[in-house]
Amino acid sequence: MGLFQGNVLIASGDTVIWQHSYGKADHATNRMLNDQSVFELASVSKQFTAMGIVLLKEQGKLKYEDSLRHFFPELPYSNISIRQMLQHTSGLPDYMDLVMEHTPSGSIATNKELIALLALHQPPVLFVPGAKWEYSNTGYALLASITEKVSGKKFQDFLHENIFMPLNMTHTEIYRRRYEKREIPNYAFGYMEPAPGKWLLPDSIPETIAMVVKLDGIVGDGTVNSTTGDLLKWSRAMDQNLLVSETIKREILTSGEDNQHIKHGYGFGWMLRRMEPAGRVA
C-alpha cells in the first residue's frame, strides 16, 4: 500500500475506460495529484525529439544520412549520421560526466555549452559508428540542436508549433524547472524515497543535487512535460497517422540494425518489443 504515486489512464480507442490519481503532486504543501497533473516525461521525450526530426526530413530540410559534422563541424565525430543518432548506434560519448566535471558549481548547462564542451575536450567515441547499439542521451541532445539549426526556431517552439499545437496537446511543453525559474500549473514534482515514507526532491539530496541542477538546461533527451490525457492524444495521433503517413510511421516504428545487419529493437525514439498475447508493442 502507498508504494505507487502517479496517474493511470486506460483507454480503448478514443474512449477513456478508467483513470485515477494516486498520491501527492507536492509533498511540501500536501497538494494531491489529479487527472490534469503535469509530469516530466524523462526519456519518453525522445519520441517527440525524433518526430521533430522526421517532420524536418519530410519538409526536405535534412536527410537521415546527413552527418553530424554537416551541422556542427567543430565536433570531432566523423561518419555519424542522423539515422544513427535516432537509433542509438552513433557511439557518441555520454555528455553527463563531461558536464559534471567541466562546469562551475551551481551552473546550469544548455545544449550550447554541451556542444562547446564536446568540441573542446573531444572525448572519444565509444565504438565505431554503426558497430552496435548503445543508448545515447548525447545523440538526442544533439538532435534537438540540429532541429534548432535547421528550423531557425527554439526547440520548444518547433515542437509546440509542429506537434503539440496541431494535436491539441494543450498541457504539453518543454519545461526546465530550475533553469527557467517559472512555475507551471498542476506540476507534479519528481521525488526520491531514500527511506520508506520519506519523500525528498533530488534538489535536497547531497548525492543528486549537483546533477539535477547542472543538467537541467539540456533538451532533446528529456524535459518534455505532459499529462495522461495529452499522452492519449499523442498515442491516437500515431495510430491515426495525424502527423505523418502510414509509410513514415512504419519507418519510425521499425527496428534499426547495426553494421552486421543485426536488429536492435529501437526505431526513431521508440523501444520495440513483443509482449504476448498483445503482440508487438512500442
Side-chain angles (χ1 to χ4, degrees):
M1 293 292 291
L3 293 179
F4 175 76
Q5 299 200 63
N7 283 0
V8 178
L9 184 152
I10 300 172
S12 176
D14 296 318
T15 303
V16 175
I17 297 173
W18 187 80
Q19 63 179 324
H20 197 75
S21 301
Y22 298 89
K24 298 176 181 178
D26 185 346
H27 283 264
T29 64
N30 288 318
R31 176 168 55 87
M32 303 302 290
L33 291 167
N34 59 59
D35 60 9
Q36 297 298 311
S37 293
V38 178
F39 291 83
E40 160 64 52
L41 298 187
S43 281
V44 175
S45 304
K46 291 181 174 67
Q47 297 175 13
F48 300 99
T49 303
M51 180 60 81
I53 292 290
V54 169
L55 293 175
L56 287 170
K57 189 262 185 184
E58 291 307 297
Q59 294 168 15
K61 295 181 178 178
L62 54 77
K63 301 181 180 68
Y64 295 141
E65 305 316 318
D66 286 343
S67 71
L68 172 59
R69 294 193 68 202
H70 173 75
F71 303 98
F72 297 106
E74 67 270 32
L75 294 179
Y77 308 114
S78 301
N79 303 317
I80 291 176
S81 69
I82 285 181
R83 184 184 298 276
Q84 289 169 334
M85 288 189 286
L86 283 169
Q87 297 182 330
H88 296 300
T89 58
S90 69
L92 283 164
D94 188 77
Y95 72 79
M96 294 185 183
D97 288 342
L98 189 69
V99 170
M100 294 301 295
E101 182 178 354
H102 296 289
T103 54
S105 176
S107 66
I108 300 178
T110 64
N111 291 52
K112 182 178 179 180
E113 280 85 46
L114 164 60
I115 291 168
L117 287 172
L118 289 170
L120 176 63
H121 296 281
Q122 301 190 13
V125 293
L126 303 178
F127 50 84
V128 173
K132 66 176 185 176
W133 185 91
E134 186 168 324
Y135 199 85
S136 174
N137 286 308
T138 304
Y140 269 77
L142 291 174
L143 288 171
S145 295
I146 289 171
T147 298
E148 292 189 333
K149 196 157 196 176
V150 170
S151 70
K153 299 177 182 291
K154 291 183 178 179
F155 180 64
Q156 54 265 40
D157 293 339
F158 183 82
L159 293 193
H160 176 74
E161 293 172 15
N162 291 273
I163 301 176
F164 306 148
M165 188 167 60
L167 299 182
N168 197 32
M169 296 174 66
T170 55
H171 302 291
T172 304
E173 62 180 303
I174 300 290
Y175 178 52
R176 296 164 287 177
R177 176 169 62 86
R178 304 159 190 90
Y179 178 73
E180 298 179 31
K181 308 297 185 190
R182 68 183 176 99
E183 296 181 0
I184 60 176
N186 252 325
Y187 181 71
F189 287 90
Y191 287 90
M192 301 180 71
E193 190 181 15
K198 184 178 182 180
W199 300 95
L200 297 176
L201 292 173
D203 311 59
S204 63
I205 299 174
E207 294 80 11
T208 56
I209 182 172
M211 176 172 285
V212 296
V213 170
K214 282 193 174 187
L215 303 182
D216 196 56
I218 295 170
V219 299
D221 57 335
T223 69
V224 174
N225 289 250
S226 190
T227 63
T228 50
D230 271 12
L231 289 177
L232 175 60
K233 294 176 183 178
W234 170 240
S235 175
R236 297 301 293 151
M238 290 294 291
D239 290 342
Q240 298 170 1
N241 305 323
L242 298 185
L243 288 177
V244 295
S245 68
E246 177 70 20
T247 299
I248 303 305
K249 180 180 74 176
R250 281 199 215 104
E251 187 172 21
I252 293 170
L253 298 179
T254 295
S255 173
E257 56 186 30
D258 63 22
N259 292 342
Q260 303 301 312
H261 305 296
I262 298 173
K263 294 187 181 299
H264 45 64
Y266 196 92
F268 292 175
W270 294 79
M271 289 278 190
L272 307 169
R273 298 288 184 270
R274 288 195 66 84
M275 296 179 64
E276 301 303 339
R280 195 179 89 157
V281 295

